[in-house]
Amino acid sequence: DAGVIQSPRHEVTEMGQEVTLRCKLISGHNSLFWYRQTMMRGLELLIYFNNNVPIDDSGMPEDRFSAKMPNASFSTLKIQPSEPRDSAVYFCASREGNSYGYTFGSGTRLTVV
Amino acid sequence: GQQLNQSPQSMFIQEGEDVSMNCTSSSIFNTWLWYKQDPGEGPVLLIALYKAGELTSNGRLTAQFGITRKDSFLNISASIPSDVGIYFCAGLSNAGNNRKLIWGLGTSLAVNP
Protein backbone atom coordinates (compact mmCIF):
# COMPACT_ATOMS: atom_id res chain seq x y z
CA ASP A 1 0.00 0.00 0.00
CA ALA A 2 1.33 3.44 -0.93
CA GLY A 3 -0.02 5.05 2.21
CA VAL A 4 -1.85 8.37 2.38
CA ILE A 5 -0.84 10.45 -0.63
CA GLN A 6 -0.97 14.22 -0.60
CA SER A 7 -0.36 16.65 -3.41
CA PRO A 8 1.26 18.98 -4.03
CA ARG A 9 4.15 18.62 -1.54
CA HIS A 10 4.87 22.33 -1.77
CA GLU A 11 2.72 25.23 -2.90
CA VAL A 12 3.69 28.88 -3.12
CA THR A 13 0.92 31.23 -4.10
CA GLU A 14 0.06 34.89 -4.01
CA MET A 15 -2.41 36.32 -1.56
CA GLY A 16 -5.92 36.20 -2.96
CA GLN A 17 -5.38 33.14 -5.11
CA GLU A 18 -7.32 29.92 -4.73
CA VAL A 19 -5.43 26.94 -3.36
CA THR A 20 -6.54 23.30 -3.60
CA LEU A 21 -4.86 20.58 -1.59
CA ARG A 22 -5.48 16.95 -2.42
CA CYS A 23 -5.46 13.74 -0.44
CA LYS A 24 -5.83 10.08 -1.39
CA LEU A 25 -6.75 7.77 1.47
CA ILE A 26 -5.47 4.31 2.13
CA SER A 27 -7.77 1.75 0.57
CA GLY A 28 -10.21 0.43 3.15
CA HIS A 29 -9.87 3.39 5.51
CA ASN A 30 -13.18 5.10 6.13
CA SER A 31 -12.24 8.20 8.11
CA LEU A 32 -10.35 11.22 6.80
CA PHE A 33 -8.86 14.05 8.84
CA TRP A 34 -7.42 17.37 7.66
CA TYR A 35 -4.89 18.99 10.01
CA ARG A 36 -2.93 22.22 9.90
CA GLN A 37 0.48 22.41 11.59
CA THR A 38 2.26 25.59 12.65
CA MET A 39 5.05 26.23 15.12
CA MET A 40 2.84 28.36 17.33
CA ARG A 41 -0.31 26.23 17.43
CA GLY A 42 0.97 22.74 16.69
CA LEU A 43 -1.42 20.29 15.03
CA GLU A 44 -4.94 21.64 14.65
CA LEU A 45 -7.80 19.50 13.42
CA LEU A 46 -9.68 21.36 10.69
CA ILE A 47 -12.32 18.85 9.68
CA TYR A 48 -12.94 15.14 9.63
CA PHE A 49 -15.10 12.85 7.53
CA ASN A 50 -16.49 9.44 8.32
CA ASN A 51 -17.73 7.37 5.39
CA ASN A 52 -17.50 10.44 3.15
CA VAL A 53 -19.75 12.51 5.46
CA PRO A 54 -18.33 15.58 7.27
CA ILE A 55 -18.68 14.91 11.00
CA ASP A 56 -16.99 17.89 12.61
CA ASP A 57 -15.86 21.04 10.80
CA SER A 58 -15.58 23.22 13.89
CA GLY A 59 -11.85 23.59 13.33
CA MET A 60 -12.22 25.18 9.91
CA PRO A 61 -10.91 28.72 10.44
CA GLU A 62 -13.48 30.58 8.40
CA ASP A 63 -15.60 30.49 5.28
CA ARG A 64 -12.54 30.79 3.09
CA PHE A 65 -11.83 27.14 3.88
CA SER A 66 -13.88 24.29 2.45
CA ALA A 67 -13.36 20.55 2.22
CA LYS A 68 -14.99 17.87 0.15
CA MET A 69 -14.88 14.12 -0.04
CA PRO A 70 -16.48 13.17 -3.37
CA ASN A 71 -15.74 9.47 -2.94
CA ALA A 72 -14.35 7.01 -0.43
CA SER A 73 -10.74 7.44 -1.48
CA PHE A 74 -10.24 11.13 -2.22
CA SER A 75 -10.60 14.50 -0.52
CA THR A 76 -9.77 18.14 -1.26
CA LEU A 77 -9.19 21.12 0.98
CA LYS A 78 -9.71 24.46 -0.71
CA ILE A 79 -8.75 27.93 0.47
CA GLN A 80 -10.30 30.82 -1.44
CA PRO A 81 -9.04 33.50 -1.24
CA SER A 82 -5.75 32.59 0.41
CA GLU A 83 -4.03 34.88 2.92
CA PRO A 84 -0.46 34.97 4.27
CA ARG A 85 -1.66 33.72 7.67
CA ASP A 86 -2.78 30.50 5.97
CA SER A 87 0.88 29.57 5.48
CA ALA A 88 1.42 26.25 7.25
CA VAL A 89 1.88 22.55 6.62
CA TYR A 90 -1.43 20.83 5.90
CA PHE A 91 -1.73 17.13 6.62
CA CYS A 92 -4.42 14.66 5.87
CA ALA A 93 -4.68 11.42 7.80
CA SER A 94 -6.87 8.38 7.38
CA ARG A 95 -8.07 5.72 9.77
CA GLU A 96 -9.61 2.30 9.47
CA GLY A 97 -12.79 1.74 11.45
CA ASN A 98 -12.50 2.90 15.05
CA SER A 99 -8.78 2.22 15.36
CA TYR A 100 -6.78 4.87 17.14
CA GLY A 101 -3.80 4.86 14.84
CA TYR A 102 -4.11 7.56 12.24
CA THR A 103 -1.91 7.24 9.14
CA PHE A 104 -0.67 10.64 8.04
CA GLY A 105 0.37 11.76 4.61
CA SER A 106 3.63 13.62 4.06
CA GLY A 107 1.90 16.98 4.09
CA THR A 108 1.61 20.01 1.82
CA ARG A 109 3.74 22.98 2.78
CA LEU A 110 1.75 26.06 1.81
CA THR A 111 3.33 29.49 1.56
CA VAL A 112 1.11 32.46 0.76
CA VAL A 113 3.03 35.60 -0.13
CA GLY B 1 -8.61 24.66 21.54
CA GLN B 2 -7.74 22.21 24.28
CA GLN B 3 -4.14 21.02 24.28
CA LEU B 4 -1.97 18.75 26.30
CA ASN B 5 1.02 20.07 28.23
CA GLN B 6 4.02 18.31 26.77
CA SER B 7 7.51 18.68 28.20
CA PRO B 8 10.25 19.32 27.66
CA GLN B 9 9.76 21.47 24.59
CA SER B 10 13.15 20.44 23.23
CA MET B 11 16.10 18.23 24.16
CA PHE B 12 19.66 18.01 22.96
CA ILE B 13 21.43 14.85 24.06
CA GLN B 14 24.45 12.71 23.33
CA GLU B 15 24.10 9.45 21.46
CA GLY B 16 23.63 6.59 23.90
CA GLU B 17 21.79 8.62 26.52
CA ASP B 18 18.30 7.81 27.70
CA VAL B 19 15.46 10.25 27.05
CA SER B 20 12.27 10.90 28.96
CA MET B 21 9.36 13.13 28.00
CA ASN B 22 5.83 13.46 29.34
CA CYS B 23 2.38 14.83 28.78
CA THR B 24 -0.11 16.07 31.31
CA SER B 25 -3.69 17.18 31.10
CA SER B 26 -6.36 18.59 33.37
CA SER B 27 -8.81 16.20 31.72
CA ILE B 28 -9.07 12.43 31.86
CA PHE B 29 -8.24 10.49 28.72
CA ASN B 30 -9.15 6.93 27.82
CA THR B 31 -6.38 6.47 25.27
CA TRP B 32 -2.90 7.92 24.99
CA LEU B 33 -0.90 7.83 21.77
CA TRP B 34 2.72 8.70 21.06
CA TYR B 35 3.76 9.78 17.56
CA LYS B 36 7.09 10.69 15.99
CA GLN B 37 7.47 13.18 13.16
CA ASP B 38 10.59 13.12 10.99
CA PRO B 39 11.54 16.32 9.16
CA GLY B 40 9.37 16.84 6.09
CA GLU B 41 7.03 13.98 6.93
CA GLY B 42 3.79 13.38 8.76
CA PRO B 43 3.61 11.94 12.29
CA VAL B 44 3.91 8.17 12.62
CA LEU B 45 2.32 6.22 15.45
CA LEU B 46 4.86 4.71 17.88
CA ILE B 47 2.84 3.40 20.80
CA ALA B 48 -0.83 3.29 21.81
CA LEU B 49 -1.97 2.94 25.45
CA TYR B 50 -5.50 1.94 26.35
CA LYS B 51 -5.61 1.30 30.13
CA ALA B 52 -4.59 3.30 33.17
CA GLY B 53 -1.29 1.99 34.48
CA GLU B 54 -0.47 0.23 31.23
CA LEU B 55 3.23 0.02 30.37
CA THR B 56 4.04 -0.79 26.75
CA SER B 57 7.34 -1.17 24.94
CA ASN B 58 8.27 -0.95 21.28
CA GLY B 59 11.96 -1.73 20.91
CA ARG B 60 13.92 0.94 22.75
CA LEU B 61 10.73 2.92 23.43
CA THR B 62 8.62 2.50 26.54
CA ALA B 63 5.45 4.41 27.31
CA GLN B 64 3.11 4.42 30.29
CA PHE B 65 -0.49 5.46 30.79
CA GLY B 66 -0.68 7.30 34.10
CA ILE B 67 -2.81 5.91 36.91
CA THR B 68 -4.79 9.14 37.15
CA ARG B 69 -5.46 8.95 33.37
CA LYS B 70 -4.27 12.54 33.15
CA ASP B 71 -0.69 11.89 32.12
CA SER B 72 1.64 9.70 30.10
CA PHE B 73 5.36 9.44 29.58
CA LEU B 74 7.64 8.15 26.84
CA ASN B 75 11.17 6.89 27.43
CA ILE B 76 13.77 6.19 24.79
CA SER B 77 16.74 4.13 25.88
CA ALA B 78 20.23 4.26 24.37
CA SER B 79 19.38 7.00 21.86
CA ILE B 80 20.76 6.88 18.32
CA PRO B 81 21.00 9.60 15.66
CA SER B 82 17.86 8.39 13.84
CA ASP B 83 15.81 9.15 16.97
CA VAL B 84 15.99 12.81 15.93
CA GLY B 85 12.57 14.30 15.31
CA ILE B 86 9.53 15.73 17.05
CA TYR B 87 7.62 13.48 19.43
CA PHE B 88 3.93 14.18 19.99
CA CYS B 89 1.55 12.85 22.58
CA ALA B 90 -2.14 12.70 21.81
CA GLY B 91 -5.07 11.87 24.04
CA LEU B 92 -8.52 10.64 23.23
CA SER B 93 -11.48 11.33 25.47
CA ASN B 94 -14.81 9.58 25.24
CA ALA B 95 -16.55 12.59 26.73
CA GLY B 96 -19.55 13.69 24.73
CA ASN B 97 -20.17 12.68 21.15
CA ASN B 98 -17.05 14.19 19.72
CA ARG B 99 -14.15 11.75 20.03
CA LYS B 100 -11.28 13.84 18.75
CA LEU B 101 -7.61 13.46 19.43
CA ILE B 102 -6.12 16.25 21.53
CA TRP B 103 -2.46 16.89 20.69
CA GLY B 104 0.54 18.14 22.62
CA LEU B 105 2.81 20.72 21.01
CA GLY B 106 5.65 18.24 20.71
CA THR B 107 9.12 17.58 22.09
CA SER B 108 11.90 18.25 19.62
CA LEU B 109 14.78 15.81 20.08
CA ALA B 110 18.30 16.36 18.76
CA VAL B 111 20.94 13.66 19.17
CA ASN B 112 24.63 14.46 18.95
CA PRO B 113 26.56 11.50 17.47
Side-chain angles (χ1 to χ4, degrees):
Chain A
D1 199 320
V4 175
I5 300 172
Q6 290 187 246
S7 63
R9 286 298 308 269
H10 303 273
E11 176 83 27
V12 180
T13 190
E14 290 186 345
M15 182 174 63
Q17 296 297 306
E18 177 180 299
V19 175
T20 300
L21 311 181
R22 296 174 175 80
C23 176
K24 184 176 185 299
L25 284 70
I26 293 175
S27 176
H29 285 198
N30 61 342
S31 294
L32 181 281
F33 304 80
W34 280 103
Y35 280 90
R36 177 172 66 179
Q37 186 178 39
T38 60
M39 288 292 292
M40 292 300 296
R41 299 175 67 88
L43 279 163
E44 301 174 276
L45 178 65
L46 301 177
I47 185 171
Y48 81 91
F49 295 83
N50 193 38
N51 294 321
N52 306 358
V53 176
I55 302 300
D56 184 351
D57 64 355
S58 60
M60 295 287 260
E62 48 200 89
D63 292 345
R64 297 184 298 107
F65 285 68
S66 62
K68 293 182 180 179
M69 195 165 176
N71 57 57
S73 61
F74 183 73
S75 177
T76 59
L77 178 68
K78 186 177 294 187
I79 308 173
Q80 166 63 21
S82 57
E83 297 182 3
R85 61 193 168 120
D86 301 331
S87 298
V89 181
Y90 291 81
F91 288 102
C92 72
S94 70
R95 181 185 73 182
E96 179 181 14
N98 288 321
S99 68
Y100 299 118
Y102 297 7
T103 302
F104 281 79
S106 296
T108 295
R109 180 173 293 278
L110 174 65
T111 304
V112 183
V113 298
Chain B
Q2 181 186 6
Q3 284 182 330
L4 301 175
N5 298 313
Q6 189 171 349
S7 66
Q9 188 174 14
S10 62
M11 302 181 74
F12 187 86
I13 62 171
Q14 293 294 123
E15 183 177 0
E17 290 183 0
D18 296 343
V19 173
S20 184
M21 59 191 78
N22 68 78
C23 268
T24 60
S25 170
S26 57
S27 305
I28 289 174
F29 289 103
N30 297 303
T31 300
W32 283 92
L33 306 172
W34 284 93
Y35 282 80
K36 182 194 177 195
Q37 184 177 22
D38 289 326
E41 299 296 330
V44 174
L45 181 66
L46 297 174
I47 291 179
L49 302 160
Y50 303 109
K51 287 194 322 184
E54 179 181 354
L55 185 72
T56 297
S57 293
N58 178 5
R60 294 178 295 105
L61 277 61
T62 301
Q64 184 157 30
F65 192 145
I67 290 292
T68 65
R69 294 162 64 193
K70 293 183 178 180
D71 62 342
S72 178
F73 72 74
L74 175 71
N75 286 344
I76 305 172
S77 63
S79 60
I80 59 178
S82 62
D83 291 334
V84 165
I86 303 176
Y87 291 80
F88 292 97
C89 61
L92 182 67
S93 169
N94 286 336
N97 294 321
N98 204 354
R99 300 174 72 246
K100 293 191 295 190
L101 279 182
I102 308 300
W103 293 82
L105 290 179
T107 294
S108 179
L109 177 64
V111 179
N112 190 29

Coordinates of all heavy atoms in Angstrom, one line a residue, chain A residues 33-78:
Chain A
F33 N -9.1 12.9 8.0 CA -8.9 14.0 8.8 C -7.9 15.0 8.1 O -6.9 14.6 7.6 CB -8.2 13.6 10.2 CG -8.9 12.6 10.9 CD1 -8.8 11.2 10.6 CD2 -9.7 12.9 12.0 CE1 -9.5 10.3 11.3 CE2 -10.4 11.9 12.7 CZ -10.3 10.6 12.4
W34 N -8.3 16.3 8.2 CA -7.4 17.4 7.7 C -6.9 18.1 8.9 O -7.7 18.6 9.7 CB -8.2 18.3 6.7 CG -8.3 17.9 5.3 CD1 -9.5 17.3 4.8 CD2 -7.4 17.9 4.3 NE1 -9.2 17.0 3.5 CE2 -8.0 17.3 3.1 CE3 -6.0 18.3 4.2 CZ2 -7.3 17.2 1.9 CZ3 -5.3 18.2 3.0 CH2 -5.9 17.6 1.9
Y35 N -5.6 18.3 8.9 CA -4.9 19.0 10.0 C -4.1 20.1 9.4 O -3.6 20.0 8.3 CB -3.9 18.1 10.8 CG -4.6 17.2 11.8 CD1 -5.0 15.9 11.5 CD2 -4.7 17.6 13.1 CE1 -5.6 15.1 12.4 CE2 -5.2 16.8 14.1 CZ -5.7 15.5 13.8 OH -6.2 14.7 14.7
R36 N -3.9 21.1 10.2 CA -2.9 22.2 9.9 C -1.9 22.3 11.0 O -2.2 22.2 12.2 CB -3.7 23.6 9.8 CG -2.8 24.7 9.5 CD -3.6 26.0 9.3 NE -4.3 26.5 10.4 CZ -5.1 27.6 10.4 NH1 -5.2 28.3 9.3 NH2 -5.7 27.9 11.5
Q37 N -0.6 22.4 10.6 CA 0.5 22.4 11.6 C 1.3 23.7 11.5 O 1.8 24.0 10.4 CB 1.4 21.2 11.4 CG 2.5 21.1 12.5 CD 3.4 19.9 12.3 OE1 3.7 19.5 11.2 NE2 3.7 19.2 13.5
T38 N 1.4 24.4 12.6 CA 2.3 25.6 12.6 C 3.1 25.5 13.9 O 2.8 24.7 14.8 CB 1.4 26.9 12.7 OG1 0.6 26.8 13.9 CG2 0.6 27.1 11.5
M39 N 4.2 26.3 13.9 CA 5.0 26.2 15.1 C 4.3 26.7 16.3 O 4.5 26.2 17.4 CB 6.3 27.1 14.9 CG 7.3 26.5 13.9 SD 8.1 25.1 14.5 CE 9.1 25.8 15.8
M40 N 3.5 27.7 16.2 CA 2.8 28.4 17.3 C 1.7 27.5 17.9 O 1.5 27.5 19.1 CB 2.3 29.8 16.9 CG 3.4 30.8 16.7 SD 4.5 31.0 18.1 CE 3.3 31.7 19.3
R41 N 0.9 26.9 17.0 CA -0.3 26.2 17.4 C -0.3 24.7 17.3 O -1.2 24.0 17.7 CB -1.5 26.8 16.6 CG -1.7 28.3 16.8 CD -2.8 28.8 15.9 NE -4.1 28.3 16.2 CZ -4.9 28.8 17.1 NH1 -4.5 29.9 17.7 NH2 -6.1 28.3 17.4
G42 N 0.9 24.2 16.8 CA 1.0 22.7 16.7 C 0.0 22.2 15.7 O -0.3 22.8 14.7
L43 N -0.5 21.0 15.9 CA -1.4 20.3 15.0 C -2.9 20.7 15.4 O -3.3 20.4 16.5 CB -1.3 18.8 15.1 CG -0.1 18.1 14.4 CD1 0.2 16.7 14.9 CD2 -0.5 18.1 12.9
E44 N -3.6 21.2 14.4 CA -4.9 21.6 14.7 C -5.8 20.8 13.7 O -5.6 20.8 12.5 CB -5.1 23.1 14.3 CG -4.3 24.1 15.1 CD -4.5 25.5 14.6 OE1 -3.8 25.9 13.6 OE2 -5.3 26.2 15.2
L45 N -6.8 20.2 14.3 CA -7.8 19.5 13.4 C -8.7 20.5 12.8 O -9.4 21.3 13.4 CB -8.6 18.5 14.2 CG -9.7 17.7 13.5 CD1 -9.0 16.8 12.5 CD2 -10.5 16.9 14.4
L46 N -8.8 20.4 11.4 CA -9.7 21.4 10.7 C -11.1 20.7 10.5 O -12.1 21.4 10.8 CB -9.1 21.7 9.3 CG -7.7 22.4 9.4 CD1 -7.2 22.6 7.9 CD2 -7.7 23.7 10.1
I47 N -11.1 19.5 10.0 CA -12.3 18.8 9.7 C -12.1 17.4 9.6 O -11.0 16.9 9.3 CB -12.9 19.4 8.3 CG1 -14.3 18.8 8.1 CG2 -12.0 19.1 7.2 CD1 -15.0 19.4 6.9
Y48 N -13.1 16.6 9.9 CA -12.9 15.1 9.6 C -14.2 14.6 9.1 O -15.3 15.0 9.3 CB -12.4 14.3 10.8 CG -13.3 13.9 11.9 CD1 -14.0 12.7 11.8 CD2 -13.5 14.7 13.0 CE1 -14.8 12.3 12.9 CE2 -14.4 14.3 14.0 CZ -15.0 13.1 14.0 OH -15.8 12.7 15.0
F49 N -14.0 13.5 8.2 CA -15.1 12.9 7.5 C -15.1 11.4 8.0 O -14.1 10.8 8.3 CB -14.9 12.8 6.0 CG -14.9 14.2 5.3 CD1 -13.8 15.0 5.3 CD2 -16.0 14.6 4.7 CE1 -13.8 16.2 4.7 CE2 -16.1 15.8 4.0 CZ -14.9 16.6 4.0
N50 N -16.3 10.9 8.1 CA -16.5 9.4 8.3 C -17.4 8.9 7.2 O -18.5 9.4 7.1 CB -17.1 9.2 9.7 CG -16.9 7.7 10.1 OD1 -16.0 7.1 9.8 ND2 -18.0 7.2 10.8
N51 N -16.9 7.9 6.5 CA -17.7 7.4 5.4 C -18.2 8.5 4.4 O -19.4 8.5 4.1 CB -18.9 6.6 5.9 CG -18.5 5.3 6.6 OD1 -17.5 4.6 6.2 ND2 -19.2 5.0 7.7
N52 N -17.3 9.3 4.1 CA -17.5 10.4 3.2 C -18.4 11.6 3.7 O -18.6 12.6 3.0 CB -18.2 10.0 1.8 CG -17.4 8.8 1.2 OD1 -16.4 8.4 1.7 ND2 -17.9 8.3 0.1
V53 N -18.9 11.5 4.9 CA -19.7 12.5 5.5 C -19.0 13.4 6.4 O -18.3 12.9 7.3 CB -20.9 11.9 6.2 CG1 -21.8 12.9 6.9 CG2 -21.8 11.0 5.3
P54 N -19.0 14.7 6.3 CA -18.3 15.6 7.3 C -19.0 15.5 8.6 O -20.2 15.7 8.8 CB -18.5 17.0 6.7 CG -19.7 16.9 5.8 CD -19.7 15.5 5.3
I55 N -18.2 15.1 9.7 CA -18.7 14.9 11.0 C -18.5 16.1 11.9 O -19.3 16.5 12.6 CB -18.0 13.7 11.7 CG1 -18.2 12.4 10.8 CG2 -18.5 13.5 13.1 CD1 -19.7 12.1 10.6
D56 N -17.3 16.7 11.8 CA -17.0 17.9 12.6 C -16.1 18.8 11.8 O -15.0 18.5 11.5 CB -16.3 17.4 13.9 CG -16.0 18.6 14.9 OD1 -16.2 19.7 14.5 OD2 -15.6 18.3 16.0
D57 N -16.6 20.0 11.5 CA -15.9 21.0 10.8 C -15.6 22.3 11.7 O -15.3 23.4 11.2 CB -16.5 21.4 9.5 CG -17.9 22.1 9.7 OD1 -18.3 22.2 10.9 OD2 -18.5 22.6 8.7
S58 N -15.7 22.1 13.0 CA -15.6 23.2 13.9 C -14.2 23.8 13.9 O -14.0 24.9 14.3 CB -15.9 22.8 15.3 OG -15.1 21.8 15.8
G59 N -13.2 23.1 13.4 CA -11.8 23.6 13.3 C -11.5 24.4 12.1 O -10.5 25.0 12.0
M60 N -12.4 24.4 11.1 CA -12.2 25.2 9.9 C -12.2 26.7 10.3 O -13.2 27.2 10.8 CB -13.3 24.9 8.9 CG -13.3 23.5 8.4 SD -12.0 23.1 7.3 CE -12.8 23.2 5.7
P61 N -11.1 27.3 9.9 CA -10.9 28.7 10.4 C -12.0 29.7 10.1 O -12.5 30.4 10.9 CB -9.6 29.1 9.8 CG -8.9 27.9 9.5 CD -10.0 26.9 9.1
E62 N -12.5 29.6 8.9 CA -13.5 30.6 8.4 C -14.0 30.1 7.1 O -13.6 29.1 6.5 CB -12.9 32.0 8.3 CG -11.6 32.0 7.6 CD -10.8 33.3 7.9 OE1 -10.0 33.3 8.9 OE2 -10.9 34.3 7.2
D63 N -14.9 30.9 6.5 CA -15.6 30.5 5.3 C -14.7 30.4 4.1 O -15.0 29.8 3.1 CB -16.7 31.5 4.9 CG -17.9 31.4 5.9 OD1 -17.9 30.4 6.7 OD2 -18.7 32.3 6.0
R64 N -13.5 30.9 4.2 CA -12.5 30.8 3.1 C -12.1 29.3 2.9 O -11.5 29.0 1.9 CB -11.3 31.7 3.3 CG -11.6 33.2 3.4 CD -10.4 34.0 3.5 NE -9.7 33.7 4.7 CZ -8.5 33.1 4.8 NH1 -7.9 32.6 3.7 NH2 -7.9 32.9 5.9
F65 N -12.3 28.5 3.9 CA -11.8 27.1 3.9 C -13.0 26.2 3.6 O -14.1 26.4 4.2 CB -11.2 26.7 5.2 CG -9.8 27.3 5.5 CD1 -9.6 28.6 5.7 CD2 -8.8 26.4 5.5 CE1 -8.3 29.1 5.9 CE2 -7.5 26.9 5.8 CZ -7.3 28.2 6.0
S66 N -12.8 25.3 2.7 CA -13.9 24.3 2.4 C -13.2 23.0 2.1 O -12.1 22.9 1.6 CB -14.8 24.7 1.3 OG -14.0 24.8 0.1
A67 N -13.9 21.9 2.5 CA -13.4 20.5 2.2 C -14.5 19.7 1.7 O -15.6 19.8 2.0 CB -12.8 19.9 3.5
K68 N -14.1 18.8 0.8 CA -15.0 17.9 0.1 C -14.4 16.5 0.1 O -13.2 16.3 0.1 CB -15.3 18.3 -1.3 CG -16.1 19.6 -1.4 CD -16.4 19.9 -2.9 CE -17.1 21.2 -3.0 NZ -17.4 21.5 -4.4
M69 N -15.3 15.5 0.1 CA -14.9 14.1 0.0 C -15.8 13.5 -1.0 O -16.9 12.9 -0.7 CB -14.9 13.4 1.3 CG -14.2 12.1 1.3 SD -13.8 11.5 2.9 CE -13.1 9.9 2.5
P70 N -15.5 13.6 -2.3 CA -16.5 13.2 -3.4 C -16.6 11.7 -3.5 O -17.6 11.2 -4.0 CB -15.9 13.8 -4.6 CG -14.4 14.0 -4.3 CD -14.4 14.3 -2.9
N71 N -15.6 10.9 -3.0 CA -15.7 9.5 -2.9 C -14.9 8.9 -1.8 O -14.3 9.7 -1.0 CB -15.3 8.9 -4.3 CG -13.9 9.2 -4.6 OD1 -12.9 9.0 -3.9 ND2 -13.7 9.9 -5.8
A72 N -14.9 7.6 -1.6 CA -14.3 7.0 -0.4 C -12.8 7.1 -0.4 O -12.2 6.8 0.7 CB -14.8 5.6 -0.3
S73 N -12.2 7.5 -1.5 CA -10.7 7.4 -1.5 C -10.1 8.8 -1.7 O -8.8 8.9 -1.7 CB -10.3 6.5 -2.6 OG -10.7 6.9 -3.8
F74 N -10.8 9.9 -1.8 CA -10.2 11.1 -2.2 C -10.9 12.3 -1.5 O -12.1 12.3 -1.3 CB -10.4 11.3 -3.7 CG -9.7 12.5 -4.3 CD1 -8.4 12.6 -4.4 CD2 -10.5 13.6 -4.7 CE1 -7.8 13.7 -4.9 CE2 -9.9 14.7 -5.2 CZ -8.6 14.8 -5.3
S75 N -10.1 13.3 -1.2 CA -10.6 14.5 -0.5 C -9.8 15.7 -1.0 O -8.6 15.6 -1.4 CB -10.5 14.4 1.0 OG -10.9 15.6 1.6
T76 N -10.4 16.9 -1.0 CA -9.8 18.1 -1.3 C -10.0 19.1 -0.2 O -11.1 19.1 0.5 CB -10.3 18.7 -2.6 OG1 -11.7 19.0 -2.5 CG2 -9.9 17.8 -3.8
L77 N -9.1 20.0 0.1 CA -9.2 21.1 1.0 C -8.9 22.4 0.2 O -7.8 22.5 -0.5 CB -8.2 21.0 2.2 CG -8.2 22.2 3.2 CD1 -9.5 22.2 3.9 CD2 -7.0 22.0 4.1
K78 N -9.8 23.3 0.1 CA -9.7 24.5 -0.7 C -9.7 25.7 0.2 O -10.4 25.8 1.1 CB -10.9 24.5 -1.7 CG -10.8 25.6 -2.7 CD -11.9 25.6 -3.7 CE -11.8 24.4 -4.6 NZ -12.8 24.4 -5.7

